[in-house]
Amino acid sequence: QVQLVESGGGLVQAGGSLRLSCAASGRSFNARTMAWFRRAPGKEREFVAAFSRDGGRTTYADSVKGRFTIARDNAKNTVNLQMNSLKPEDTAVYYCAAETPFRAITTIGSEYDYWGQGTQVTVSS
């Protein structure tokens, strides 16, 4: 069992920055790819960024490349998402997710076993 708790969301003006954090409890954090997804109002959930379990690889959605950075700390069981140059279209509920252990990094939501409750990010124009 893994529990994920996100924090750091809020309201920011376009061009601003926010840093989301996800604290994981439970077993096998180090064996799991960790990722962030988001769901905007009226839209389906979409992949944002992922960090492989061994720390060797990251992947990003094209829409956030160059603006967002994902980082993980296996000693602290945390994964963060630094979001810079925010745009109104980044407004969404952001979710932290943990993949099935020992799987390759993936952008597919159904491959993730555990999800946080979500944190709201609102970017005003």
Side-chain angles (χ1 to χ4, degrees), residues 28-115:
S28 65
F29 177 84
N30 292 2
R32 300 176 184 268
T33 290
M34 298 298 297
W36 288 93
F37 288 76
R38 66 186 182 187
R39 186 190 300 272
K43 296 187 177 180
E44 293 188 354
R45 182 183 64 198
E46 66 173 352
F47 170 79
V48 176
F51 203 124
S52 64
R53 57 185 176 87
D54 60 2
R57 184 180 170 192
T58 57
T59 188
Y60 296 90
D62 287 343
S63 59
V64 307
K65 278 181 183 176
R67 300 188 298 121
F68 291 12
T69 302
I70 188 171
R72 69 185 291 165
D73 185 334
N74 284 348
K76 296 181 179 180
N77 282 15
T78 58
V79 59
N80 300 319
L81 185 69
Q82 178 66 43
M83 304 186 296
N84 298 329
S85 302
L86 283 161
K87 304 175 181 180
E89 51 264 45
D90 294 318
T91 295
V93 177
Y94 284 71
Y95 298 90
C96 176
E99 194 186 358
T100 303
F102 304 111
R103 295 280 185 88
I105 192 170
T106 180
T107 64
I108 301 172
S110 60
E111 296 292 319
Y112 289 81
D113 293 334
Y114 295 98
W115 297 80

Side-chain angles (χ1 to χ4, degrees), residues 113-124:
D113 293 334
Y114 295 98
W115 297 80
Q117 82 287 352
T119 185
Q120 177 70 46
V121 171
T122 303
V123 185
S124 63

